[in-house]
């Protein structure tokens, strides 16, 4: 990337479990990268990179924020779910979308399977992320599970 090229990054929303200073820390981290400018509001410029969260609804949120999709070059969805992106949005927008990393996907799939097999394990419900959380439970990785069906898991 040339030194005079600047990509504007805009976050559409922060997940409720994030620390109150999350956006501030994210901005500091991203602006250390040459050519990146973190927008606090869209009045500061057009966004080329959109950062999303769990609650992201592409058509609704893009319209609500009056984002010019012709300027968007990339959407980064750090969460693991494909369910936020309807097929028509993906095919019609032509915007490359980077989904969450495999570690998060693995955790989410374990949670979903644990929910399905809740008789075998218990899942505590917490409103905020507790970094020190541990609970006595049987892990699915210690079990043999057969999944039969079609589609994404």
């Amino acid at each position: 990337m040339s030194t005079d090229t600047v990509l504007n990054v805009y976050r559409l929303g922060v997940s409720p479990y994030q620390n109150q200073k999350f956006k501030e820390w994210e901005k500091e981290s991203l602006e250390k990268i040459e050519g990146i400018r973190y927008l606090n509001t869209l009045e500061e410029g057009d966004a080329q990179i959109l950062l999303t969260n769990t609650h992201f609804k592409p058509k609704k949120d893009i319209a609500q924020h009056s984002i010019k999709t012709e300027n968007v070059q990339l959407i980064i969805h750090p969460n693991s779910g494909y369910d936020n992106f309807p097929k028509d949005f993906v095919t019609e927008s032509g915007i490359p979308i980077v989904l969450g990393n495999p570690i998060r996907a693995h955790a989410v799939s374990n949670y979903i399977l644990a929910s399905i097999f809740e008789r075998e394990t218990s899942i505590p419900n917490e409103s905020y992320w507790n970094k020190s959380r541990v609970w006595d439970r049987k892990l699915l990785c210690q079990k043999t599970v057969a999944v039969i069906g079609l589609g994404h898991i």
Side-chain angles (χ1 to χ4, degrees), residues 83-101:
D83 54 335
N84 291 75
F85 296 93
K87 182 180 177 188
D88 63 328
F89 175 80
V90 174
T91 55
E92 291 168 15
S93 73
I95 302 170
I97 301 168
V98 175
L99 294 176
N101 64 48

Side-chain angles (χ1 to χ4, degrees), residues 8 13 17 23 30 40 47 53 69 74 76 78 86 88 100-101 103 105 112 115 119 125 132 134 137 146 153:
N8 290 329
Y17 56 80
K23 279 184 80 168
L30 289 174
N40 291 308
N53 71 0
T69 53
L74 178 66
I76 301 175
D88 63 328
N101 64 48
I103 294 170
I112 291 168
S115 296
R119 221 174 56 185
N125 187 11
S132 64
V134 292
R137 64 189 168 118
I153 297 174

Side-chain angles (χ1 to χ4, degrees), residues 28-84:
E28 288 173 15
S29 296
L30 289 174
E31 287 191 336
K32 288 179 184 176
I33 302 168
E34 184 179 339
I36 296 293
R37 179 174 170 230
Y38 192 94
L39 304 175
N40 291 308
T41 67
L42 288 171
E43 282 99 40
E44 298 174 42
D46 292 329
Q48 285 86 36
I49 300 174
L50 299 178
L51 299 174
T52 66
N53 71 0
T54 304
H55 307 291
F56 178 62
K57 303 291 182 233
K59 292 178 183 178
K60 177 183 168 229
D61 290 340
I62 287 172
Q64 181 180 352
H65 290 270
S66 302
I67 294 169
K68 298 175 187 168
T69 53
E70 63 272 12
N71 294 330
V72 177
Q73 297 174 28
L74 178 66
I75 295 175
I76 301 175
H77 184 69
N79 298 78
S80 55
Y82 293 84
D83 54 335
N84 291 75

Side-chain angles (χ1 to χ4, degrees), residues 104-123:
R104 175 118 169 104
H106 182 73
V108 170
S109 64
N110 271 323
Y111 181 86
I112 291 168
L113 286 172
S115 296
I116 292 169
F117 299 107
E118 67 182 313
R119 221 174 56 185
E120 300 294 325
T121 185
S122 64
I123 302 170

